[in-house]
């Protein structure tokens, strides 16, 4: 298949949204953004063998490449709008491309984000997606803004994806059903886009958890110039992780990567509204701690080893 036919077949999407004046096919795309909104842009690359295991199904690769980017938009409270795709392929394998596009398109359709352009090259498998979103001017959520006394919350469960990866790499043994669930979480993260948009009116700071809770929390603490106290009993664990011993499960939840959940801070007076949101939207949200004055210090009421620097233990 010739490169131009490939682009036409797999990456020329329809129907084109009205604000996209020009899409795939020219030298660049042209977009129109509403006057009261601003652009929010992020890019992430997934390299085979580095960001996802070799032999990950093509459908999952397409899905995840977009999911990790949507998660960054979610963390900002942005509405997803458009994306570009730079694809490096070792060879043109039509079965692989068919499945890759199906996974990509499934999530794109769910979040109404539209492919407006990209680049296709030959080389070791790598996928770069740049996402573009919008939010009302000056309303986006940032990592800075957390205040002493704010509650610290996280969406979903933590540590499943890390457990899934450990199973694939034969570093961890789980029963068949739990192993399958964890690998599913590794391959198919759920970007919390709607939650992020809702949080614009309530959260004081927000980010997504991609490199492990404690490591990411420390970035938020640094930007906000505050500290954090975490309660180990509130760290949200799936049924699969509950079957492990507590230290192993907490280790995965606090330091494992690839969760793509939202980590945010909330003034205590908004807790009732949050509970309402949680009820209506059937999403798991856990209060895992509180913001403190000790700049960049994370403390946990459980004696875990192997936590990053700046961590300390309290009773
Ligand atoms: P140029 O040489 O001008 O960069 P290309 O041949 O790379 O043009 O791309 C032609 C058109 O196809 C452009 O509109 C580009 O955005 C689009 N395109 C190329 N590869 C992809 C892809 N993987 N996904 C989406 N659009 C693509
Ligand atoms: Mg090009």
């Amino acid at each position: 298949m010739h490169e131009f036919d490939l682009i036409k077949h797999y990456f020329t999407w329809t129907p084109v949204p009205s604000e996209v004046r020009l899409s795939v096919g020219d030298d660049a795309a042209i977009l129109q953004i509403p006057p009261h909104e601003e652009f929010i842009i992020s890019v992430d690359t997934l390299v085979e063998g580095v960001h996802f295991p070799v032999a990950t199904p093509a459908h999952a690769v397409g899905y995840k490449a977009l999911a990790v980017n949507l998660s960054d938009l979610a963390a900002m409270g942005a509405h997803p709008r458009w994306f570009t795709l730079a694809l490096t392929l070792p060879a043109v394998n039509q079965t692989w491309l068919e499945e890759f596009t199906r996974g990509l398109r499934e999530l794109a359709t769910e979040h109404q984000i539209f492919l407006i352009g990209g680049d296709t090259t030959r080389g070791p498998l790598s996928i770069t997606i740049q996402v573009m979103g919008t939010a009302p001017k000056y309303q986006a959520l940032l990592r800075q803004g957390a205040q002493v006394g704010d509650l610290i919350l996280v969406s979903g469960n933590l540590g499943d994806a890390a457990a899934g990866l450990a199973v694939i790499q034969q570093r961890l043994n789980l029963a068949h059903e739990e192993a399958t669930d964890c690998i599913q979480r590794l391959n198919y993260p759920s970007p919390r886009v709607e939650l992020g948009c809702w949080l614009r009116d309530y959260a004081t700071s927000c980010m997504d958890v991609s490199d492990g809770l404690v490591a990411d929390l420390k970035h938020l603490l640094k930007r906000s110039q505050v500290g954090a106290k975490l309660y180990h009993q509130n760290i949200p664990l799936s049924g699969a992780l509950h079957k492990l011993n507590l230290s192993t499960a907490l280790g995965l939840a606090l330091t494992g990567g690839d969760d793509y959940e939202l980590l945010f801070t909330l003034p205590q007076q908004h807790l009732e509204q949050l509970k309402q949101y949680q009820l209506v939207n059937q999403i798991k949200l856990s209060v895992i701690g509180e913001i403190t004055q000790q700049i960049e210090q994370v403390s946990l009421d459980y004696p875990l080893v192997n936590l990053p620097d700046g961590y300390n233990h309290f009773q």
Side-chain angles (χ1 to χ4, degrees), residues 147-164:
Q147 303 291 323
V148 175
D150 283 353
L151 302 173
I152 304 171
L153 291 98
V154 73
S155 61
N157 289 319
L158 297 176
D160 285 355

Side-chain angles (χ1 to χ4, degrees), residues 232 237 241 244-255 302-306:
H232 81 275
L237 303 175
L241 260 64
L244 300 171
N245 75 57
L246 185 58
S247 289
T248 307
L250 283 177
L252 288 164
L254 293 171
T255 66
Y302 188 87
L304 256 200
V305 284
N306 293 333

Side-chain angles (χ1 to χ4, degrees), residues 3-4 7 11 24-27 85 87 115 117-120:
E3 183 196 324
F4 297 113
I7 293 166
F11 303 121
V24 172
D26 214 299
D27 290 309
L85 167 69
L87 192 56
L115 180 61
D119 198 22
T120 309

Side-chain angles (χ1 to χ4, degrees), residues 62-130:
Y63 191 101
K64 185 168 181 174
L66 184 58
V68 306
N69 278 283
L70 283 171
S71 182
D72 282 319
L73 289 184
M76 303 297 291
H79 283 289
R81 294 218 179 226
W82 318 283
F83 71 101
T84 59
L85 167 69
L87 192 56
T88 304
L89 299 169
V92 176
N93 172 339
Q94 292 205 45
T95 319
W96 191 92
L97 269 170
E98 203 70 58
E99 279 300 290
F100 171 83
T101 317
R102 206 166 60 77
L104 184 70
R105 214 156 170 170
E106 198 175 298
L107 190 64
T109 305
E110 185 187 329
H111 291 282
Q112 300 279 295
I113 188 167
F114 190 80
L115 180 61
I116 55 163
D119 198 22
T120 309
T121 54
R122 199 171 285 253
L125 181 60
S126 133
I127 305 102
T128 297
I129 287 183
Q130 180 186 46

Side-chain angles (χ1 to χ4, degrees), residues 5 67 106 186 222 282 308:
D5 298 323
E106 198 175 298
L186 175 69
K222 184 168 186 167
Q282 296 289 308

